[in-house]
Amino acid sequence: GDSVTQMEGPVTLSEEAFLTINCTYTATGYPSLFWYVQYPGEGLQLLLKATKADDKGSNKGFEATYRKETTSFHLEKGSVQVSDSAVYFCALYNTGGFKTIFGAGTRLFVKA
Amino acid sequence: NAGVTQTPKFQVLKTGQSMTLQCAQDMNHNSMYWYRQDPGMGLRLIYYSASEGTTDKGEVPNGYNVSRLNKREFSLRLESAAPSQTSVYFCASSESGDRYNEQFFGPGTRLTVL
């Protein structure tokens, strides 16, 4: 079945450092890919998405590119801020399945 | 526009007690979901409702029941709570049938079963 694997955390960075959180997936067909973010004490919210190969999703300085050849959707940000401290979830959705598959989440701590 | 709301925010139960978690959305979405979130395990789908009048089991349905009361509301019931059901529960909703299925989440219910 479909699955998502993302790097274990926590990831601890200093402010203005470069961020990469790795995500790879296994799926039949051509799923849509997502990154969700969960701030402390809140529910998840969509950060960015990509629906086909080579699409780049971007939002709030975060980017991720849908790489079908490597089945990956790595999240990057050039300069993190303390306010980016959160848990990040990679996810995939296959059309018609009504189910989104989430990775285990990666906790990011950013130090001032 | 409140989005997805959940009640209660916190609950403590004793083993064997029952309770219902309430969820409502005001975005006219067709699909609704219940997840549980446990440390190191991400989100696991308990039940979902693809459209009003339908419900289906997800990955971890045992010990739970659901009711899609109308298009807005989707409740989750624990008939006889067990310590293994201690978790954070999230309700979510989405448009169904589109390419994206972006899900909108409520703030969560933190449940402790003693």
Side-chain angles (χ1 to χ4, degrees):
Chain A
D2 297 349
S3 66
V4 173
T5 303
Q6 57 183 108
M7 63 188 289
E8 289 189 26
V11 174
T12 302
L13 296 173
S14 297
E15 208 165 22
E16 299 184 2
F18 185 86
L19 169 71
T20 300
I21 300 177
N22 291 335
C23 171
T24 57
Y25 68 91
T26 302
T28 56
Y30 300 91
S32 295
L33 301 175
F34 306 85
W35 278 100
Y36 284 82
V37 59
Q38 183 181 30
Y39 298 104
E42 299 182 7
L44 281 69
Q45 55 186 274
L46 182 67
L47 180 61
L48 54 83
K49 65 189 177 193
T51 60
K52 61 184 188 296
D54 300 325
D55 265 3
K56 177 184 283 188
S58 61
N59 187 24
K60 300 181 181 179
F62 291 90
E63 293 182 339
T65 301
Y66 189 145
R67 301 283 188 204
K68 191 160 178 62
E69 64 276 14
T70 55
T71 62
S72 65
F73 193 55
H74 304 321
L75 182 68
E76 297 182 336
K77 187 176 186 185
S79 177
V80 293
Q81 305 300 313
V82 172
S83 57
D84 294 325
S85 297
V87 181
Y88 293 82
F89 292 90
C90 186
L92 73 81
Y93 170 69
N94 255 320
T95 305
F98 295 107
K99 300 178 188 179
T100 296
I101 309 298
F102 290 87
T106 302
R107 184 175 296 277
L108 170 66
F109 291 105
V110 181
K111 303 179 296 182
Chain B
N1 195 343
V4 179
T5 56
Q6 292 182 235
T7 55
K9 290 190 186 303
F10 301 94
Q11 184 71 49
V12 178
L13 293 177
K14 294 181 180 177
T15 297
Q17 288 185 317
S18 62
M19 79 162 296
T20 300
L21 282 62
Q22 306 287 354
C23 173
Q25 54 91 9
D26 62 3
M27 295 172 283
N28 202 37
H29 284 166
N30 290 312
S31 301
M32 298 185 74
Y33 312 82
W34 276 105
Y35 294 92
R36 59 179 288 173
Q37 183 180 30
D38 301 294
M41 303 196 70
L43 272 73
R44 292 184 291 170
L45 183 65
I46 304 171
Y47 271 93
Y48 67 100
S49 172
S51 60
E52 185 179 357
T54 69
T55 60
D56 285 285
K57 295 178 180 179
E59 183 184 355
V60 288
N62 291 345
Y64 305 96
N65 285 300
V66 291
S67 296
R68 182 75 182 266
L69 304 168
N70 47 55
K71 192 171 186 179
R72 290 187 63 248
E73 298 173 288
F74 188 40
S75 63
L76 178 72
R77 183 161 179 82
L78 287 69
E79 290 292 350
S80 179
S84 60
Q85 295 178 304
T86 294
S87 188
V88 182
Y89 291 85
F90 288 100
C91 178
S93 70
S94 70
E95 284 292 334
S96 61
D98 69 356
R99 182 70 179 122
Y100 308 105
N101 201 46
E102 174 185 350
Q103 296 194 12
F104 294 80
F105 285 80
T109 295
R110 188 173 296 275
L111 174 66
T112 301
V113 183
L114 302 175

